[in-house]
Structures are given as structure tokens and as C-alpha cells.
Amino acid sequence: MSEKEVKNLEVIFEARIERDDKIEPKDWMPEKYRKTHIRQISQHAHSEIVGMLPEGNWITRAPSLRRKAALLAKVQDEGGHGLYLYAAAETLGISREEMYEQLHTGKAKYSSIFNYPAITWADIGAIGWLVDGAAIINQVALCSTSFGPYARAMVRICKEESFHQRQGYEIMLTLCRGTEEQKAMAQDALNRWWWPSLMMFGPRDEDSPHTAQSMKWKLKRKTNDELRQQFIDQTVPQADLLGISVPDPELKFNSETGHYDFGEIDWDEFWQVVKGHGPCNKERMEARVGAWEGGAWVRDAAMAYAEKQEKRKVAKAS
Amino acid sequence: MKNQDLYIYILGIADNSLILGQRLGELCGHGPSLETDIALTNIALDLFGQTRSYYRYAASLAGEGKTEDDVAMLRIERDYRNVLLVEQPNTHFGHVIARQYLFDVFHFQLMTALVDSNDETLAAVAAKGIKEVGYHKRFSGDWLKRLGDGTGESHEKMQEAIDHFWPYIAELFDTTESDERMIESGVGVDVATFRESYYSEVTDQLKEATLTVPENPYSKKGGKQGVHSEHMGYILTELQYMQRTYPNLTW
């Protein structure tokens, strides 16, 4: 293809994005669009499956059978989200094995929030309420993203996430209506998860290198700071309703802007965790790599069995 | 308790699902593939769903305002009635599959028979669970074949797992004294009547999976009398952690 032809395709492509047409896997797309989408969708898929770990830890310890079943169902949903997201990324010409390889070698990232430990039952509530709450804000914006398979996966995922968020809030509400000890457990969880949740929206706009291009491709509809503000505005009244306090002395409603003003995020902590030195980065990767390597013989067996079955079928037919 | 035998009979069924569910719950996020991870989580979810129906029923018999969670989580180890098979650890995926398959075949037969119990509640729970258990058996049976007839390594691992679990099967077909009274009254199921068909089904499947049927004549039992393996205390430690640490709270 000549340079001129590529240029023409790019113009057509940009016009389609402008018109809000969906881009489908077989359509022509700029190489950078493909790469950016692989990066973002796989990162999202990795976040789902790494996210199974901190909550999965509580399945055997859930305080009641009802909570245990709900938690299992939730973690199972996350596995399902991982599946469709990997499938969406595969349509762009990368295999699941390659994506795992990138995760395991640290080349691909996942949401840093899952590098924090879930140490009490209230953390399961806080993760649902805050982490899923923040994820929804990011994801609702993606339901109308330009890449068709991703947008469609997001619609389905958002529905389930909003259920998880309500479930998490309900755990918090039960704790806050319980004994002093339970309420203290809820407050402690909010204290530990609040700031990491705000960090989920990524660096400040001026420090976010991909924002401009992603906005242009409608892979992002709002900037990191806009989404973070939306999350804070939505979540603070929910904390008030619970009767627990957000651990930010500078948090204050600004009647002029109609938004909450808030304190400075500890960006050193943010970068420390992103760079692999958070409380559980090592444990999360060990768990993922361990599952993958420990399961190699199982996957090999399944493959060998399928091949044998295929040969038997052919032998029978001939 | 007036219905002591029935209460214990329900626990004998429910505790198997509870403890196996706990074991499967440990695996969540650690499976050899995302698909198997999701499937095993789903099986755990089915099992816990079933236990809730049983424990609610048991709690209603126990009276004194007891709840499903009291019955499930606040007993001492000696009062849990599950077979030793289901409490054995997830040593590797072959063990997970062997334990599951050997239990699922039994569980399916039990549910099939329990549908005809003259206890309406038990019959209804069984009728609801039977489809789920049929799916569990298909999943574990398929994996038994894949691993048995997969690679040399998987064959060896699967055979070792089957050999390991074989002595635990016998306990599935034991009946306690209270079981006998339940069978007599038409509530309970006489598991001894399907022992033969169990072994024949499992033998066929093992052969199809190119595995050798163990000839080990010894058996390991005790769970039905509440005498468990050393693993059980650790399972209960996790299961009961919240209820024991924070007694009488609502979650």
C-alpha cells in the first residue's frame, strides 16, 4: 500500500470515529489504534483476573453462607469478564498466551488497586463499594468507545459491576448498622481503600501521556481528573449515609463549583505501586505465574486429548 | 431434639457439599486456565447453594432460633458428618478432579434416589440439585478422560490421584445407625443399594480414560462418625473464623 493510500484510509477512519461509527475487527485501522487497544483491553482483562485474588482470599472465610455464595458469584463474574475481554483483544490479532506472557513478565500492567491487601471482611465491602464504583465510572464511559467488541463487552460488564457495587455497599451498610466493632472495621477499610481508589483514575491530566490520543479515538470520553471528580462527588454522600468519614481533612463541598474539593493524592505512593513495589505486587504475580506454570501439564493434556480424539474421528470416518 | 435422626441425616448430606465447597473455594483464581477456574467456582457455588437449603431445614428442626449459619459454622469438629474424601487437600489439579469425580458419581446417585424420599423438603432440594450435580459429574468425568488419556505426565498424575483416593470411596456407602432408622422410615436413602452400580460406572470411566482400576482392598473412613483427618481442623478454622471471632453478629 502506498503512503498516499494509507493516508486516505486514515482520513476515512478518522471520519468514521467522528461519526461515532463502530470500528470492527476486520476493518482497516491505524497500527497505533490497534496497539493502543490491545494495551488497554488486555490491561483491563488482566485487572479482572488479578482482581479475583484479593477477594478470592475471603471465600473460605466469608462470615455467612449467603455472603460466601455472593462473593463466589462475584469472583466468578470477574473471571467471566476476563474471558470476554481477552476474547475482544484476540480479535485484534494477539493470543491469550501472548497476553499472559506480557502480564507475567511485567510488560503489561493491571490495575494497581489489586496490589493492596484485603485483610478484613470490611475490605470485601469496601472493594465492592469503592473499587467497583470507580471501575464503573471508568467503564460506563467505555460503553460508547469506538472499538465495537470492546464497547459491547463493556455494556455487559457494566451491568454486572453495578450489581457488585451495590452488593459491596450493602456489606458496608450492614457493618455500619452493626456493633461499634463492626463500624470500626468499616471505617478502617474506608481509611485504607479511599486513596488507592482515587488513584485508580490514573495520574493527573497533565501527567497522563495517552489521554489526548485516547480522547481523539473515543477510547476515553473524559479525562482522568474529570472522572476522579465524578467519583468523589458521587461517593462522599454515600459515606455520609453510612456514617463513616472519608480520610481527607481537606475534603469540603465547594458550593461555587458544585463539586467537592479534596486533598492531594500521594503520587509517590501511586508510582511506587505502579512500578511494582506495592504491598502485594509480588504476591499477585507469584499467584498468577504459579497458576499458569503449575497448570501447564493440564493444558497440555487437554490439547493432547483433543488431538487424539480428532485422529480417532478421522480414522473412524475413513 | 425430637427429630435428632433426621437432623443428623441432613448434616450427613449437607456437610459433604459444605466441605467440598470450601476446598473448591480455595482454588478460586488459581486454576490452570480461566475456563476451569470459572467452572470449579461454579461447582462450589452450586454446592453452597444446596447446603443453604439443607441447613435452613436442619436449623428449623433444631429450633431455639438457630440459623443456617449456626448449623453450618458453629459446630465442633466431631459433629461434622462429611466423609473423609471431600476434606482432602487440593494437592494438584489431578487430585481436584479425582476427588470431584469420585464424589460426583455418588452425589448424583444419592440425589436421584433422594427425589423419592417421603420427606418433602429433602425430595425438593434433591430435585433442584440433581441437574447441577449432573453437570458437575460431566465436568469432572470429562477432565478425568482428558488427563488420563492426555499426555504421559497427565496420565501418571491422574493414576496417582485415583490410587490415592480409592480407599476413601468405601465410606460413601457406609450407613450409620441413625441412617438406618431414616432408611426404615422412608426418609433416607439406602446407599448400599447403589454401591455396585457406582463401582461399575466408575470402572467404565476409568477404563475409557485409559487408567487402571486400583485393586487396593483397604479403606479409610471415619468422617461419618465425626472422626476426621488432620486436615479438617484447618478447614473449620477458616470456615468458622468470623463467626468464632465475632460471636452473635449480623453480617
Side-chain angles (χ1 to χ4, degrees), chain A residues 32-306:
Chain A
K32 202 169 161 219
Y33 179 93
R34 180 187 303 277
K35 287 214 171 103
T36 303
H37 276 77
I38 288 178
R39 183 172 58 82
Q40 180 163 333
I41 300 171
S42 66
Q43 187 172 321
H44 190 165
H46 297 328
S47 302
E48 296 283 356
I49 60 162
V50 176
M52 292 168 79
L53 298 169
E55 292 178 283
N57 280 337
W58 274 91
I59 290 169
T60 58
R61 289 175 293 169
S64 67
L65 291 174
R66 180 171 83 92
R67 293 293 185 198
K68 194 187 286 287
L71 181 59
L72 261 168
K74 181 189 175 188
V75 179
Q76 191 195 18
D77 283 347
E78 284 160 4
H81 297 170
L83 263 187
Y84 359 118
L85 288 164
Y86 283 124
E90 280 173 324
T91 66
L92 291 163
I94 185 167
S95 68
R96 212 201 291 183
E97 284 68 24
E98 284 172 275
M99 289 184 266
Y100 278 157
E101 175 70 20
Q102 291 176 349
L103 172 68
H104 297 161
T105 54
K107 198 182 156 213
K109 299 267 181 260
Y110 56 89
S111 181
S112 271
I113 192 81
F114 301 118
N115 293 314
Y116 288 85
I119 52 181
T120 71
W121 174 250
D123 289 15
I124 299 303
I127 290 173
W129 172 37
L130 301 172
V131 175
D132 292 323
I136 293 167
I137 287 185
N138 272 324
Q139 291 168 0
V140 163
L142 290 170
C143 291
S144 56
T145 187
S146 59
F147 186 54
Y150 193 31
R152 289 189 288 273
M154 279 340 296
V155 171
R156 191 162 160 190
I157 289 172
C158 277
K159 278 187 195 148
E160 292 180 351
E161 291 290 3
S162 85
F163 180 71
H164 298 163
Q165 201 235 354
R166 281 203 300 275
Q167 193 173 285
Y169 191 72
E170 204 255 316
I171 290 176
M172 295 300 276
L173 200 58
T174 307
L175 294 174
C176 292
R177 285 177 181 165
T179 61
E180 280 308 310
E181 204 174 15
Q182 284 174 302
K183 197 164 176 185
M185 192 190 275
Q187 178 67 60
D188 172 59
L190 174 58
N191 293 348
R192 284 179 291 105
W193 290 92
W194 175 254
W195 291 104
S197 299
L198 298 191
M199 294 177 197
M200 284 176 71
F201 298 94
R204 276 187 300 226
D205 293 347
E206 60 265 36
D207 301 320
S208 174
H210 303 296
T211 295
Q213 181 66 75
S214 295
M215 295 283 276
K216 200 170 149 215
W217 283 334
K218 298 180 179 171
L219 182 52
K220 240 182 185 173
R221 295 269 173 160
K222 287 182 182 168
T223 70
N224 294 353
D225 287 332
E226 284 169 340
L227 293 168
R228 187 165 16 242
Q229 185 69 56
Q230 189 185 332
F231 174 75
I232 293 169
D233 291 344
Q234 165 188 312
T235 309
V236 173
Q238 295 171 351
D240 293 343
L241 201 67
L242 291 173
I244 49 180
S245 28
V246 171
D248 177 357
E250 290 172 52
L251 186 82
K252 201 169 161 244
F253 188 72
N254 181 332
S255 50
E256 265 172 48
T257 60
H259 297 293
Y260 282 90
D261 294 335
F262 57 97
E264 190 60 35
I265 289 171
D266 181 350
W267 293 108
D268 290 338
E269 177 182 322
F270 173 81
W271 290 112
Q272 180 182 335
V273 183
V274 169
K275 287 176 181 156
H277 304 285
C280 302
N281 297 59
K282 200 160 167 262
E283 287 83 349
R284 300 296 182 241
M285 261 324 92
E286 277 168 4
R288 284 315 313 161
V289 173
W292 184 246
E293 289 178 355
W297 70 273
V298 176
R299 297 189 303 276
D300 290 346
M303 196 70 90
Y305 179 78

